[in-house]
Amino acid sequence: MPGIIDVSQLVKTYGDGTKAVKGITFSVNEGEFFGFLGPNGAGKSTTIKILTTLLQKTSGFASVAGLNVDSDAAKIRKIIGVQNQDTVVDEDLTGRENLVLQGQLQQMHGPAIKERVDDLLKIVDLVDAADKRAGFYSGGMKKRLDLATTLVHNPKILFLDEPTTGLDPQSRAAIWAYLKRLNEQGITIFITTQYLEEVDRLCRRLAIVDLGEIVAQGTPGDLKQEIGADSISLGFENSSLNGGDVRTKARQVLEKKFDGVSNIVDSDIGLTVYAKNGSYMVPELVRAFDEAQIRLSTIGVSSPTLDDVFLKHTGKRIRVEEVSSANMRGMFGRRRR
Amino acid sequence: MSFFSDATHLFVRSMKKLVRNPILVFFSLFQPIIFLLLFTQLFSGLGRFLGAGILSYTAFATAGIVLQNAFSSAFQSGTAVVDDIKSGFLSKMLATPVNRSAILFGRLLSDVFRVVVQTVIILVLAYALGVYPATGAIGYLLVIFTVAFFGLAWSGISLALGLKTKSAETVFGIAGAVTFPLLFMSTALVTADFMPPWMQDVSTYNPVSIAVNAIRNPITGCNVAQRVCNIGFDWNTILQAYGVIAAIGLVTLGATLYLFRKVVS
């Protein structure tokens, strides 16, 4: 079944020879919350610009809602909402005027715009500030207004490029909460972000791009599982057992009885054990240690994070960058990320 | 048809921005007003040489000052486009079904509107200084129309520069470098007799001179170059100027359209 976004062998080479996207293939299903992650310069923004008809592809195929990005650009623009990485609101206009203008550009008409704008102002909590100029808004308010402008025409698909970068944690949480609600209402969300915890919580599937190529894609769970090992941290009540070192004894137990263990490392409180499906192993571990009369004081399992996934596939840790003037270039900066 | 409604909406946006940043109207008006108040006093003695003493220098210079304003005001158009490019507002618009040409048209419309408002302010001020329209209200309407037409043509240069360089500084820099030489080597503020011969040649073909004649005639009722007054509308001069302005406009707006297409495609 074709997805709501279909991309196949997509290539973008800029005029100066920079190969920003080198033949990527992926597909997003209708109603999905899809994360598109990658380090700076990976080709994320270029891909978004192609999908949102702002940039012509060099070769390959891309469609949005079954519409070809080259030949049906005008139709695509009516059903997508696009939020740029930089907050884009007209600071000389009030919040309401920004929304109304966006509705007009989306070819909506008077009464429909008014009704929709009133609703949106409520949704993004800007009713009180609606008639103040956006220039007086805080960063978080501008971002919420910006998000609202992308929603005026009830888009089927939202493209969000770093929607929460540079925001304080509270504003960030608010935006993610809105996005979650929108997605539950059936809007497909295609998002790039550096906040992996949110991705983990909200994205049903994600793709990781690096140097213009997709290096991994799947559900957050699958990708983390691919990493292999959970880490189980064990703390012991006593440091010695029957005259021997408890760690040595515990190692023997682990090596004898558990195949899934991939690595065992000494820790301050005892041992850290790396194993596939670590959490399933816990009851057996406890039983085995009990039999061997090893008393546990603590036991904790932590799963691999998306950060580990990201590290494995790109060799880099994702780093949250603050918004700086260097990031404030518009769409015509050659290649931002 | 979305072209007209889109252009109207974007025109309204520009108007709101203008009203809320009145500095944009007065920034470029500052200099013409200083010229009108001081320059005309400084050179009031020149009146004796103009139109056989019938014409005051203030009346003579009003046309030049109106044009100077149109000139520098039109050069601001490009900076607004640069702002929209840099802020990402243009790309935000381009991700909507908005009519592409309407974006440009709405912009030009508001630039012309700004020049017209400024021209009216200058003409009112000149009226207070004793410059009465020789050809009446119709003459002033013609002046305003000519200025709008001229402003449109020059806006094209500024827009093209803005689209090409995407730098407000460059637009301002080039504007400054172009405005003054063209203005001072024209008959905007003095008649050709005051210039050395080489400058007279430049002045004759300087589009600013040609345009200023078309504005000066309705205000003064004279053809200053031929030293005749009370002749009413001098259609030869006016139509010649329209021809030149149209030619400039075709080139500048053509370039703007071409560069804009490149940006939005």
Side-chain angles (χ1 to χ4, degrees):
Chain A
M1 206 185 95
I4 196 158
I5 300 172
D6 270 316
V7 173
S8 167
Q9 295 302 317
L10 183 70
V11 173
K12 176 65 193 181
T13 309
Y14 284 104
D16 63 356
T18 314
K19 288 192 165 74
V21 176
K22 302 173 190 163
I24 61 175
T25 299
F26 66 91
S27 139
V28 178
N29 299 322
E30 183 150 14
E32 226 169 7
F33 203 124
F34 190 86
F36 199 60
L37 313 181
N40 288 342
K44 289 174 296 182
S45 288
T46 300
T47 307
I48 285 205
K49 280 179 198 160
I50 292 170
L51 292 175
T52 56
T53 76
L54 293 176
L55 192 66
Q56 303 248 335
K57 62 182 167 55
T58 306
S59 66
F61 173 84
S63 76
V64 173
L67 300 162
N68 189 297
V69 290
D70 293 326
S71 51
D72 295 321
K75 284 182 192 155
I76 291 176
R77 290 176 193 131
K78 286 187 187 170
I79 54 162
I80 59 170
V82 184
Q83 184 171 35
N84 217 302
Q85 178 176 11
D86 309 322
T87 311
V88 187
V89 294
D90 190 326
E91 305 205 340
D92 292 324
L93 302 184
T94 66
R96 189 188 303 277
E97 286 168 339
N98 266 288
L99 290 167
V100 168
L101 177 63
Q102 197 65 24
Q104 290 165 338
L105 298 182
Q106 284 292 354
Q107 316 300 321
M108 293 165 68
H109 295 288
I113 294 180
K114 198 192 167 305
E115 201 176 310
R116 180 70 179 145
V117 166
D118 286 341
D119 283 350
L120 282 172
L121 286 167
K122 273 181 224 143
I123 291 173
V124 296
D125 294 321
L126 286 174
V127 176
D128 293 339
D131 297 309
K132 287 197 188 88
R133 286 190 218 171
F136 297 115
Y137 285 15
S138 69
M141 289 162 81
K142 281 184 200 164
K143 208 81 197 182
R144 263 144 55 201
L145 175 61
D146 193 18
L147 178 65
T149 61
T150 67
L151 298 171
V152 174
H153 56 300
N154 283 306
K156 284 176 76 164
I157 310 165
L158 263 189
F159 289 91
L160 307 163
D161 195 356
E162 307 269 356
T164 57
T165 300
L167 290 183
D168 59 280
Q170 214 180 338
S171 307
R172 213 159 63 214
I175 298 266
W176 283 101
Y178 298 137
L179 295 180
K180 183 167 185 276
R181 215 177 308 152
L182 289 169
N183 183 243
E184 283 163 2
Q185 287 163 14
I187 298 180
T188 306
I189 294 182
F190 185 93
I191 191 169
T192 80
T193 181
Q194 299 169 348
Y195 295 95
L196 294 177
E197 278 167 40
E198 278 98 342
V199 170
D200 204 357
R201 212 154 41 79
L202 292 171
C203 291
R204 230 169 288 173
R205 276 195 317 131
L206 57 97
I208 297 176
V209 273
D210 192 26
L211 301 172
E213 287 171 286
I214 289 189
V215 290
Q217 57 180 318
T219 67
D222 288 347
L223 288 171
K224 285 185 292 190
Q225 211 158 34
E226 244 175 58
I227 293 282
D230 292 334
S231 63
I232 307 164
S233 111
L234 302 172
F236 303 113
E237 268 187 12
N238 311 83
S239 60
S240 60
L241 183 74
N242 304 334
D245 184 21
V246 70
R247 287 194 173 94
T248 318
K249 185 88 175 152
R251 276 175 188 269
Q252 286 166 0
V253 174
L254 287 163
E255 278 158 14
K256 203 158 58 183
K257 295 197 172 170
F258 297 92
D259 296 338
V261 173
S262 54
N263 200 7
I264 305 168
V265 191
D266 284 355
S267 72
D268 296 340
I269 53 163
L271 293 173
T272 303
V273 180
Y274 291 94
K276 214 165 197 162
N277 298 325
S279 45
Y280 298 114
M281 203 187 274
V282 169
E284 286 172 52
L285 259 178
V286 173
R287 222 173 295 135
F289 282 139
D290 209 36
E291 277 169 22
Q293 292 177 330
I294 300 171
R295 288 178 172 229
L296 290 171
S297 59
T298 60
I299 181 160
V301 183
S302 55
S303 337
T305 60
L306 277 183
D307 206 30
D308 298 323
V309 175
F310 197 80
L311 179 66
K312 178 187 164 189
H313 292 290
T314 67
K316 301 175 194 90
R317 287 217 174 265
I318 205 160
R319 203 174 319 137
V320 174
E321 282 172 43
E322 292 313 310
V323 176
S324 69
S325 55
N327 287 338
M328 296 298 277
R329 272 179 286 155
M331 67 172 281
F332 301 98
R334 173 128 286 148
R335 201 184 151 203
R336 277 180 309 158
R337 44 202 9 269
Chain B
M1 175 89 182
S2 69
F3 175 79
F4 290 106
S5 58
D6 285 346
T8 309
H9 297 317
L10 291 170
F11 173 73
V12 169
R13 169 191 176 228
S14 297
M15 284 302 106
K16 284 178 179 162
K17 289 173 84 74
L18 199 63
V19 170
R20 288 166 197 183
N21 294 285
I23 189 82
L24 289 177
V25 179
F26 294 104
F27 181 65
S28 63
L29 258 187
F30 188 66
Q31 207 180 323
I33 287 176
I34 295 287
F35 270 46
L36 194 61
L37 295 178
L38 298 181
F39 214 73
T40 54
Q41 299 307 304
L42 183 65
F43 289 103
S44 55
L46 289 179
R48 273 179 285 141
F49 304 100
L50 298 167
I54 307 165
L55 197 57
S56 76
Y57 181 69
T58 309
F60 173 83
T62 297
I65 290 166
V66 160
L67 197 79
Q68 180 205 357
N69 171 67
F71 212 20
S72 51
S73 184
F75 260 122
Q76 284 179 25
S77 323
T79 63
V81 168
V82 172
D83 278 350
D84 273 353
I85 291 176
K86 292 226 159 136
S87 71
F89 203 87
L90 182 62
S91 74
K92 184 169 179 155
M93 286 194 277
L94 292 177
T96 73
V98 65
N99 182 301
R100 271 50 187 154
S101 314
I103 297 176
L104 197 60
F105 190 73
R107 171 92 270 142
L108 282 169
L109 212 60
S110 63
D111 289 333
V112 166
F113 185 83
R114 187 184 59 211
V115 173
V116 166
V117 168
Q118 290 168 330
T119 303
V120 170
I121 293 175
I122 295 173
L123 290 179
V124 167
L125 212 64
Y127 193 88
L129 293 173
V131 179
Y132 306 120
T135 53
I138 307 249
Y140 268 8
L141 285 179
L142 184 68
V143 167
I144 287 167
F145 184 76
T146 310
V147 170
F149 189 34
F150 180 80
L152 193 66
W154 283 113
S155 288
I157 296 187
S158 172
L159 283 168
L161 283 172
L163 289 167
K164 181 79 194 160
T165 64
K166 282 140 202 155
S167 150
E169 289 83 359
T170 311
V171 175
F172 267 121
I174 295 180
V178 170
T179 310
F180 280 104
L182 273 179
L183 196 69
F184 286 125
M185 288 193 283
S186 78
T187 52
L189 298 169
V190 292
T191 55
D193 332 1
F194 291 89
M195 302 174 186
W198 68 268
M199 203 187 271
Q200 288 188 13
D201 293 340
V202 175
S203 160
T204 310
Y205 298 103
N206 186 340
V208 174
S209 300
I210 296 168
V212 85
N213 288 337
I215 296 169
R216 183 167 289 142
N217 164 253
I219 295 177
T220 62
C222 303
N223 180 326
V224 176
Q226 291 166 10
R227 297 183 172 279
V228 287
C229 277
N230 297 319
I231 57 169
F233 290 114
D234 175 8
W235 291 113
N236 269 345
T237 301
I238 293 170
L239 291 178
Q240 186 200 359
Y242 272 54
V244 170
I245 296 171
I248 292 173
L250 272 179
V251 174
T252 61
L253 296 175
T256 300
L257 205 62
Y258 169 76
L259 291 166
F260 188 71
R261 285 261 161 82
K262 260 174 71 172
V263 166
V264 302
S265 73

